Amino acid sequence: MATNEVLTTIKKRRSIRGFKEDQITDEELQTVLEAGIYAPSAGNQQLWHFTVIQDKQLLDQLNVSAKAGAAQIDNEHIQQIAKNEKFNIFYGAPTVVLVSGKEDGMVIEADCAAATQNMLLAAESIGLGACWVNLILFAFSGEQGEQYKQKLGVPAGYKSFSSVVLGYKKIEPVNAPPRKENVINYIK
Ligand SMILES: Cc1cc2nc3c(=O)[nH]c(=O)nc-3n(C[C@H](O)[C@H](O)[C@H](O)COP(=O)(O)O)c2cc1C
């Protein structure tokens, strides 16, 4: 099988859930964001929007609100996470990129997912730790949802679909979980 830098990065990337306090550099941030906006999008519409959050106080508020929202969900696993006072949905990452998309985009959730994955791979390729964190979305389900959207500059008619937390790795990643077998059909 072929191997190269891209394929190595894809296989090496892991969700990182422990970060140092130091902020990433603006250059690192720009590198990751640029990878996001170079993702494919349905009809090349590029109807996404990115909010970079580096304000610790705001991240703390979002963590509390997301957990409060998650606690209302009829899912035991999510409720357990939400009720754990020590749990931080951002794992202490100093930077969070919220990915939003225009609600009436053709396949907007897929567009935003492509941008999200591009950012995860870019982060890994430059040695940053990153994790795809959708728990943040619960912060938008409560009463404060609209206020958050305004504060975060999410454009009118846009909805948030994911976030990427970024920082320097405090915890070295473990090996990739085993891959499920028999997920490919070949028709030749
Ligand atoms: C749509 C989506 C939502 C996710 N949301 C979260 C999340 O809120 N918190 C979290 O810690 N990980 C989240 N993850 C990361 C997954 O748990 C992780 O990718 C998976 O366990 C595989 O591990 P790996 O990323 O190290 O390969 C999410 C991943 C995806 C694709």
Side-chain angles (χ1 to χ4, degrees):
M1 242 189 284
T3 184
N4 58 38
E5 236 179 294
V6 174
L7 294 169
T8 302
T9 301
I10 289 172
K11 286 192 179 167
K12 248 184 82 192
R13 182 213 56 81
R14 298 262 66 77
S15 292
I16 299 300
R17 297 188 172 91
F19 296 91
K20 295 182 180 162
E21 276 184 22
D22 318 46
Q23 187 54 273
I24 62 171
T25 66
D26 285 346
E27 197 188 342
E28 288 167 331
L29 176 63
Q30 289 311 319
T31 302
V32 170
L33 290 169
E34 192 175 56
I37 64 173
Y38 268 81
S41 62
N44 189 30
Q45 290 197 308
Q46 302 178 36
L47 292 173
W48 40 49
H49 180 270
F50 304 85
T51 306
V52 177
I53 316 164
Q54 295 184 317
D55 176 336
K56 190 172 177 331
Q57 211 181 346
L58 182 55
L59 289 175
D60 287 343
Q61 286 169 7
L62 283 165
N63 174 51
V64 170
S65 299
K67 285 167 72 180
Q72 309 298 317
I73 293 298
D74 186 19
N75 175 308
E76 208 179 313
H77 173 65
I78 297 215
Q79 281 205 4
Q80 258 183 1
I81 289 174
K83 286 179 184 156
N84 179 351
E85 279 185 25
K86 286 189 187 150
F87 181 73
N88 181 295
I89 67 159
F90 304 123
Y91 308 104
T95 294
V96 175
V97 181
L98 177 71
V99 184
S100 309
K102 194 155 187 271
E103 283 182 76
D104 59 9
M106 275 192 290
V107 202
I108 194 63
E109 195 159 358
D111 298 346
C112 289
T116 304
Q117 175 67 0
N118 262 19
M119 290 194 284
L120 294 179
L121 292 175
E124 173 61 34
S125 76
I126 58 171
L128 292 180
C131 186
W132 182 323
V133 171
N134 269 21
L135 279 175
I136 191 176
L137 303 180
F138 288 112
F140 302 100
S141 60
E143 283 173 13
Q144 286 167 294
E146 214 30 63
Q147 276 170 290
Y148 276 134
K149 273 183 80 169
Q150 285 192 11
K151 206 173 208 173
L152 295 167
V154 177
Y158 279 58
K159 183 179 163 193
S160 299
F161 288 101
S162 59
S163 79
V164 173
V165 308
L166 294 166
Y168 298 124
K169 298 175 191 176
K170 188 152 122 188
I171 296 169
E172 271 311 308
V174 290
N175 290 337
R179 301 291 101 184
K180 281 197 175 157
E181 288 175 15
N182 304 320
V183 294
I184 305 173
N185 256 13
Y186 296 93
I187 299 158
K188 293 187 180 178

